[in-house]
Amino acid sequence: MGRVLIIGAGGVATVAAHKVCQNPDVFTEVMIASRTEKKCIVLAEILNRKYGTNVKTAQVDADSVEQLVRLLGSYKPDIVMNLALPYQDLTIMEACLQTGCNYLDTANYEPKDEAHFEYSWQWAYRERFEKAGLCAILGCGFDPGVTSIFTAYADKHHFDEIHYLDIVDCNAGNHHKAFATNFNPEINIREITQKGLYWEDGKYIETEPMEIHKPLTYPGIGPKESYLLHHEEIESLVINFPTIKRARFWMTFGQQYLTYLDVIQNIGMSRIDEVEYEAPLVSPQGKMTTAKVKIVPLQFLKAVLPNPQDLGQNYDGETSIGCRIRGLRNGQEHTYYIYNNCSHQAAYEETGMQGVSYTTGVPAMIGAMMFLTGLWNKPGVHNVEEFDPDPFMDQLNKQGLPWHEIHDGDLEL
Ligand code: NDP
């Protein structure tokens, strides 16, 4: 039915690639391309052995529009799944436009030199995608992604007006490392050290990082301290569902994680500006010497932290992510909680990756499937909640992320 190009070969891309290969009737041809082709080759070998597929690989620096245009122009994918980093969103979108390819990602654009994310940079491509008759699907992971689709589903089936939306993200897993992040450490630490932000009565309210927190009870897990964070889906959801009076995002963190994070910040290791470092060097004559080099502390930290892709084997426990919604139906106030719980071990057994990569890679594959089967295909640049949620929700149940509903329970919020 369609040819797909996956860019990136990290945790999320690995899960998405497994899922793509599990659906050969939809994804008839597959290529994985990334900065380090070796990782793509190792992954392709695993996939081809396990599923009898013929996954191809390529090397690409996705920061270079020129290299991307060359690759996309020769492979001619129907859709490009951008599962590299948010830094590459704009270059990949640009290359898609130049070569007539459709586009999907899981995280909105962030400039490398500023820890700041918002949709405006990608929404600026709307007219060009529309005119080219191409579709760009933004934010198709779990959060953003499934949480936005849960909201669209609630709006379609359970509410006349959504008034209060709280997205709740709990990771109750244990990877048995002193400190590690569950997805790319650089992106993760940039996200959670930012100021908090939420939407109330038509405007954004800023908080200090981690200032607002409270225990919330997660199904099958119990109470966990949950912290209000700024998260990207809030920006599009309050536009696409204008009856929303308040929208917030909560994430759980353990005390040990927060203590480490505090230290990382206090000693300057979360800095994203360049610092000079006296690095050891071997001179052309073979003598040991030193030279001043510029390094970004957070990128250096990433190099010494555990790789999120290697956490799976000893990871136990589960994630629980969902939407707690209050609003009106037939003039009556109603509450609704929709969520998925995902086991780290089950994810590892199926794909070799932990649950956070799994909960992101599966929806990315379903989004591409929605596009290739013609269920989600409209020219322009769209956030996932702008499409019909029903066929996507149906696939979540079939592809390993079943969801559950609680009507008129206590939302605690
Ligand atoms: P990883 O760091 O594990 O993988 C990133 C991959 O991108 C690596 O293979 C890396 O290559 C590759 N890459 C980086 N820069 C380039 C480049 N210039 N050109 C080509 N390839 C490049 O990250 P994750 O898999 O954990 O995360 C992937 C994406 O998913 C991120 O954007 C993240 O923000 C997003 N995400 C979204 C979530 C959601 O729910 N919506 C949740 C979790 C993550 P190399 O191997 O050479 O380093």
Side-chain angles (χ1 to χ4, degrees):
M1 205 176 264
R3 183 180 301 158
V4 63
L5 171 68
I6 296 173
I7 300 186
V12 174
T14 298
V15 172
H18 273 269
K19 289 298 188 181
V20 157
C21 292
Q22 288 172 18
N23 289 277
D25 46 333
V26 176
F27 301 96
T28 42
E29 286 176 67
V30 186
M31 178 184 274
I32 305 168
S34 191
R35 183 168 53 190
T36 314
E37 194 184 359
K38 180 93 194 334
K39 282 195 192 169
C40 308
I41 294 170
V42 170
L43 175 58
E45 278 169 7
I46 293 170
L47 297 167
N48 292 340
R49 224 181 9 253
K50 184 163 180 184
Y51 303 106
T53 44
N54 181 24
V55 174
K56 299 195 167 54
T57 67
Q59 196 279 331
V60 72
D61 177 359
D63 288 325
S64 157
V65 174
E66 203 188 324
Q67 285 192 28
L68 286 163
V69 165
R70 226 176 297 132
L71 176 66
L72 270 57
S74 64
Y75 187 60
K76 298 194 186 344
D78 296 300
I79 187 162
V80 175
M81 296 172 71
N82 168 15
L83 304 178
L85 297 178
Y87 311 137
Q88 282 87 45
D89 289 4
L90 302 187
T91 45
I92 299 178
M93 287 177 85
E94 182 61 46
C96 282
L97 279 168
Q98 290 189 27
T99 52
C101 299
N102 300 283
Y103 171 89
L104 175 144
D105 68 28
T106 64
N108 67 7
Y109 176 69
E110 264 188 74
K112 271 189 188 148
D113 55 358
E114 199 189 333
H116 175 77
F117 51 82
E118 61 174 57
Y119 278 114
S120 62
W121 288 292
Q122 292 182 273
W123 286 343
Y125 281 76
R126 276 176 179 151
E127 213 184 315
R128 290 177 69 200
F129 270 81
E130 229 169 83
K131 278 198 179 137
L134 295 171
C135 177
I137 300 171
L138 305 187
C140 200
F142 207 104
D143 42 347
V146 176
T147 51
S148 320
I149 293 156
F150 280 172
T151 307
Y153 183 80
D155 186 72
K156 182 172 174 183
H157 296 286
H158 300 300
F159 290 95
D160 299 322
E161 284 185 16
I162 292 181
H163 288 172
Y164 299 97
L165 168 67
D166 284 283
I167 298 170
V168 292
D169 179 332
C170 169
N171 182 3
N174 187 351
H175 44 55
H176 303 282
K177 304 263 184 217
F179 181 84
T181 63
N182 295 293
F183 65 95
N184 186 283
E186 190 183 330
I187 304 297
N188 191 205
I189 291 173
R190 280 164 66 117
E191 175 180 293
I192 61 183
T193 51
Q194 282 192 35
K195 291 204 170 186
L197 201 68
Y198 65 97
W199 175 263
E200 190 160 33
D201 296 331
K203 60 180 186 306
Y204 283 103
I205 297 170
E206 194 175 78
T207 72
E208 287 308 309
M210 312 282 186
E211 181 188 339
I212 299 180
H213 54 100
K214 61 185 296 178
L216 297 175
T217 310
Y218 294 88
I221 291 168
K224 291 275 171 195
E225 200 63 17
S226 307
Y227 295 78
L228 189 147
L229 294 187
H230 173 32
H231 224 246
E232 62 199 62
E233 61 264 58
I234 301 292
E235 188 187 356
S236 64
L237 287 171
V238 297
I239 294 172
N240 289 321
F241 301 99
T243 59
I244 292 179
K245 296 179 183 179
R246 188 186 65 207
R248 302 180 293 191
F249 183 95
W250 304 82
M251 190 177 270
T252 60
F253 297 103
Q255 199 45 56
Q256 173 158 320
Y257 184 93
L258 292 176
T259 306
Y260 272 83
L261 195 65
D262 219 24
V263 174
I264 285 169
Q265 282 183 279
N266 288 341
I267 61 173
M269 286 307 293
S270 62
R271 282 174 61 173
I272 60 170
D273 55 328
E274 288 181 335
V275 297
E276 256 187 11
Y277 171 71
E278 193 77 31
L281 201 75
V282 182
S283 76
Q285 292 76 32
K287 284 207 179 119
M288 278 304 291
T289 170
T290 61
K292 282 199 180 352
V293 293
K294 292 207 157 83
I295 59 165
V296 174
L298 184 56
Q299 286 173 3
F300 178 78
L301 180 69
K302 174 185 181 283
V304 294
L305 282 177
N307 183 345
Q309 282 174 67
D310 301 333
L311 297 176
Q313 196 164 17
N314 297 315
Y315 219 137
D316 45 43
E318 52 186 14
T319 63
S320 178
I321 316 176
C323 296
R324 300 185 184 192
I325 301 174
R326 194 145 50 95
L328 293 180
R329 188 178 58 199
N330 300 328
Q332 299 284 313
E333 181 152 284
H334 171 57
T335 72
Y336 179 68
Y337 181 12
I338 178 164
Y339 65 92
N340 160 265
N341 277 26
C342 176
S343 148
H344 287 289
Q345 261 317 298
Y348 178 74
E349 277 156 28
E350 184 184 334
T351 64
M353 296 293 131
Q354 35 83 2
V356 176
S357 302
Y358 191 87
T359 54
T360 312
V362 173
M365 179 282 291
I366 300 175
M369 171 188 265
M370 293 293 106
F371 172 79
L372 290 175
T373 51
L375 293 164
W376 280 17
N377 183 3
K378 48 183 176 186
V381 173
H382 305 286
N383 292 86
V384 290
E385 67 269 20
E386 295 171 50
F387 296 99
D388 181 5
D390 292 356
F392 192 104
M393 294 289 283
D394 190 35
Q395 284 299 326
L396 281 174
N397 283 329
K398 294 180 180 152
Q399 304 288 345
L401 293 176
W403 43 273
H404 313 277
E405 304 173 294
I406 300 172
H407 290 273
D408 294 317
D410 174 12
L411 297 183
E412 304 175 292
L413 289 158

